[in-house]
Amino acid sequence: MLEGVPDSSTATAKIRARKPKLDRVLADALDLAREAAEEAGDGIGDHLSVEAETDRVVTHYFDCSLAGYRGWRWAVVLTRAPRARVATVSETALLPGPDALRAPAWVPWSERLQGGEVGTGEVLPTEEDDDRLMPAYQLSDDDAVDDLAAELGVGRTRVMNREGRAETAQRWYDGDRGPTAPIAEAAPAPARCGTCGFFMPLAGSMRLAFGACANLYSSEDARVVSADHGCGAHSQISEFVDTTPQGVEKSEIIYDDEGSELL
C-alpha cells in the first residue's frame, strides 16, 4: 500500500458506517405515506417519525390504533430515482415497535409438556432420537435384562439406556414415593418399604432401590416406591409401635347437644 493512500477496505468500512442522510423530498411526502398506509389497512394513527434507511429511501411510521395491537406501527417505505423530485411507495407493513404487545415465543410441545400430563385417551409420540432410549438389538447395559433376553430370545424395539434409567430413578427418588415424602417421614423410622412383606421389587438394575406396593390398604398400593420409603401399613408395623388398644391414642370424647331437640 502506498504511503498516504487509504486502504480500500478501510474506505469501504467508513462508507458502510456513514449514517444515511435523510432525503427531504421523501421526508416531506407525508400525505403520500399516509394514503399508502390507509390503503394497506385500518387503524392509521398519528405520524410517529421518519427514518432514513439508505440514500433516497426512508420509512414513515404511523401509530396503529387497532385493538390488540398496542405498540405496533404502520411502516411505509418511500423511495425516488436519482435526480427525480417525485416520491414513490416501495412497500407498507404493520410492524411491532419497541414496546409492542406480542405473543410469547413459540415453545415446542415437547418442551412444554410436564410430567404426568398425558391423560386418558391422549397419545404421546416418542421421538426417534429420544436420549433415554436405545435400539433393543444392542446390549441394554443392564446385565439382568441382557441375560433374560438371551435366555428367552425375546426383545423390544427399544429399551431404556443407562442414562434414561438413572434419570427415572432420580425422579422417583425425589418425588412423592421417596424417603422424604410426608407420609414416609411421618411413619415409624424402621417401617421402610424394603423390609415390608407387601414390597414387590422391580426387575433388573432397579430392584435394589425400587419396587411396587401391593398392600390393598396402603395409599401407595400399585405404585412404585423406593426401598427406603415408608407408611403406616408396613407388614410388621406392630413390631415398631404399640398397636394394642392400650397403646392407641384415643381422641377426647366430645358431646355436642346443640343440634338436638326434644321430642
Side-chain angles (χ1 to χ4, degrees), residues 10-260:
T10 303
T12 302
K14 290 183 178 179
I15 293 175
R16 291 178 179 175
R18 178 174 61 87
K19 185 177 181 179
K21 182 179 179 181
L22 183 64
D23 190 294
R24 293 314 313 173
V25 173
L26 302 178
D28 293 340
L30 179 58
D31 293 340
L32 176 62
R34 179 176 290 278
E35 180 180 342
E38 292 175 348
E39 290 180 359
D42 301 324
I44 311 303
D46 297 335
H47 184 260
L48 299 176
S49 63
V50 57
E51 299 178 6
E53 303 295 344
T54 60
D55 293 339
R56 297 184 301 280
V57 178
V58 303
T59 300
H60 286 269
Y61 290 100
F62 297 90
D63 183 34
C64 178
S65 59
L66 292 174
Y69 284 85
R70 185 184 67 195
W72 285 65
R73 306 177 296 177
W74 281 103
V76 180
V77 181
L78 301 182
T79 185
R80 68 181 180 88
R83 293 185 294 277
R85 307 301 297 174
V86 179
T88 59
V89 178
S90 178
E91 61 178 325
T92 59
L94 181 59
L95 302 175
D99 302 321
L101 179 64
R102 287 181 282 184
W106 167 253
V107 179
W109 67 265
S110 58
E111 298 179 16
R112 287 183 280 116
L113 193 64
Q114 301 296 316
E117 287 190 348
V118 180
T120 303
E122 297 178 336
V123 177
L124 175 63
T126 302
E127 299 293 336
E128 289 295 331
D129 57 350
D130 193 312
D131 56 11
R132 300 170 300 173
L133 300 172
M134 59 188 272
Y137 55 77
Q138 296 181 0
L139 294 178
S140 69
D141 206 17
D142 187 333
D143 294 339
V145 174
D146 291 337
D147 293 343
L148 182 61
E151 179 180 351
L152 300 180
V154 297
R156 291 165 287 171
T157 303
R158 290 192 290 180
V159 295
M160 292 187 70
N161 55 23
R162 183 185 297 273
E163 181 180 352
R165 293 197 305 274
E167 177 186 326
T168 300
Q170 192 65 53
R171 183 176 67 252
W172 288 351
Y173 198 78
D174 295 338
D176 294 336
R177 307 294 177 264
T180 59
I183 188 174
E185 294 183 340
R192 301 299 97 181
C193 294
T195 59
C196 179
F198 299 106
F199 181 74
M200 303 179 66
L202 297 184
S205 59
M206 290 285 207
R207 68 176 293 108
L208 297 179
F210 297 98
C213 175
N215 190 339
L216 170 65
Y217 302 105
S218 173
S219 60
E220 312 293 40
D221 182 41
R223 293 174 173 171
V224 174
V225 295
S226 68
D228 51 359
H229 184 64
C231 75
H234 193 283
S235 58
Q236 274 69 251
I237 192 68
S238 59
E239 299 178 6
F240 311 137
V241 295
D242 186 0
T243 57
T244 62
Q246 295 76 15
V248 176
E249 182 179 353
K250 298 182 179 179
S251 301
E252 179 184 358
I253 299 177
I254 300 177
Y255 296 96
D256 183 4
D257 56 1
E258 290 185 2
S260 305

